[in-house]
Amino acid sequence: MSFVDEVKNAVTPRAALLVIGVLALQLLFITSYVGALHHPKPHDIKVAVVAPEQLAAPVADRLDTLPGSPLDPRTLTDERVARDQMLNREVDAALVVDPRSTTDTLMIASGQGTSETQAIVRIFTEVERQQQRTLRLDDVAPVSAQDAGGLTSFYLVVGWCVGGYLCAAVLAISAGARPADRKRASIRLLVMAAYAVVAGLFGTLIAGPVLDALPGSIGALWGLGALTVFAVGAATLALQSVFGIVGVGVAILLVVIAGNPSAGGAYPPPLLPEFWRTIGPALPPGAATWTARSIAYFRGNSVAGPTLVLALWAAVGTIVTLVFSSFRRRDEIDALVRRGGTPLPVAPPNAPDRTSYIRTERLSEG
């Protein structure tokens, strides 16, 4: 047998397609991460200008016309309202102008990510310098001293997401990518739910009490972790039900390649290019990272929308998994009946995760 024949025998067309798929995922990974993170640039950061009415509008207009449109200013007349809006995550910073002095106060929230905070401080420092004024900082939601760069929430979410799709992948490897029927699909979803509860708890304990890296309610973070793991796991199970083992690759495409760089971890959304800034809130890593930071530093405010996103991923993943498993069972029975077979009513306990049948052969006479 020639070497070419050996290669043909060793590398099946299916294996070759899978290798090409892996190469495509690798190139998309590089493109996504480098494209999203290689040149962070502030764009439309929501800021408030707190000043007397006759002074606030000119300051806001000047900020709105900065080159590159880094800020999206709005005017307020009450410093307390600005502080509340920052804690509600409606604005990212607030400039409090003191007309009786040459020093203004910039209210920041480093808990939303130190890279964004540094960008805001850099912009306002330059603006104040041009006006021959100085700047005093007031951090209304300071990041924990143990949370370098405010990245712990993102790393925690990444761990939860990895656990979700890996657990679904293990179920596929051990028992077949597509569940044989609705009962088997339900069992997988129940296993995923139990895993999510445990993974959410242990992730919270490690990031919180054990390493003291992330403050916030343990119960709230636990709930977020369980929902995140189950949302990603259920979505992966659904993709496997539709595409087979290739569904794991599709899940990696959505969660890792598209989701992680757009999640606002290393660079919050206002620093990302428009494409990643747009898709991030709709994907599990982005929704969960926003929620984890809100729980840790913003009193749990502004989490309804991101939590709904995660719940929708979980619900749609569950429904698709159950529906496609039902279709698969019906299609297999119909195909067997057309071949003249009879389905086995009860599968043995140790049967693999596929439907077994007794084939009735029809013998013709003569």
Side-chain angles (χ1 to χ4, degrees), residues 5 23 26 37 43 57 64 67 86 107 115 148 190 213 223-224 236 250 278 283 306 366:
D5 292 332
L23 176 62
Q26 175 185 325
L37 307 176
H43 183 76
D64 196 30
M86 290 185 65
M107 294 194 296
S115 57
L190 288 173
L224 171 64
T236 306
V250 179
T278 302
L283 297 174

Side-chain angles (χ1 to χ4, degrees), residues 256-337:
V256 179
I257 295 176
N260 285 354
S262 64
Y267 299 112
L271 302 184
L272 296 175
E274 183 177 0
F275 173 75
W276 286 270
R277 188 168 64 245
T278 302
I279 67 172
L283 297 174
T289 299
W290 175 278
T291 305
R293 281 179 173 156
S294 292
I295 292 171
Y297 298 114
F298 296 91
R299 305 175 183 174
N301 292 324
S302 188
V303 299
T307 302
L308 178 60
V309 169
L310 293 171
L312 285 174
W313 277 86
V316 172
T318 299
I319 293 170
V320 171
T321 300
L322 294 174
V323 169
F324 271 79
S325 64
S326 299
F327 286 162
R328 181 169 184 253
R329 172 72 170 177
R330 189 178 301 112
D331 290 345
E332 287 188 351
I333 292 176
D334 291 344
L336 181 66
V337 170

Side-chain angles (χ1 to χ4, degrees), residues 86 92-94 106-110 112 117 120-121 137-141:
M86 290 185 65
D92 297 333
L106 178 64
M107 294 194 296
I108 57 175
S110 59
Q112 67 194 355
T117 301
I120 293 171
V121 171
L137 299 181
D138 178 12
D139 198 342
V140 303

Side-chain angles (χ1 to χ4, degrees), residues 13-27:
R14 182 172 183 270
L17 287 174
L18 289 174
V19 170
I20 293 172
V22 170
L23 176 62
L25 285 177
Q26 175 185 325
L27 297 179

